[in-house]
Each structure stands twice: as structure tokens, then as C-alpha cells.
Amino acid sequence: KPIRLGDDAVDVVAFITSLREGRALFAGKPEAKVAAAVDALREAVNRYAGPGGVVMNETAWLASAHR
């Protein structure tokens, strides 16, 4: 089911990075790496932007990372 996440990619990324989980993810990380990750997220979200805002199919997201 399509769900509208925000007006544009900047709006959606600002929301995601304002969440407790988003803040925790970036806390204490090098500024350049955080900026690169936020830029990549904005670019990915922008693919779903259109005249009606950013719309994605509603689903559960599972993300993991390994160092």
C-alpha cells in the first residue's frame, strides 16, 4: 500500500534523522561519514519523490550493518 512520507527527500531525511534511532545511529560517528550517509539516504529517497511528495510502498524495514 503506498504511503506518503513527506513533501520531498529533504523533508523525509530530516524526519528520519530526527528519530531517536536515527540520532543513536549517528551519535559519536565522524562528521564526514555521517554527512556521506545522510547524502546517500537523501539520494535513495529522492527516487521516490514526485508531484505528490515522497511515496513508497508501506512495508517493514529491516536493516543491519557489519563492521
Side-chain angles (χ1 to χ4, degrees), residues 10-66:
V10 173
D11 185 34
V12 174
V13 170
F15 171 70
I16 291 171
T17 58
S18 74
L19 296 172
R20 179 175 37 114
E21 295 85 351
R23 292 191 314 269
L25 181 66
F26 295 129
K29 305 300 187 287
E31 190 174 321
K33 296 223 181 226
V34 171
V38 170
D39 287 346
L41 178 59
R42 188 178 305 107
E43 185 177 318
V45 168
N46 197 48
R47 294 182 201 140
Y48 298 91
V54 176
V55 179
M56 292 181 175
N57 285 329
E58 186 174 24
T59 187
W61 294 2
L62 174 62
S64 65
H66 300 278

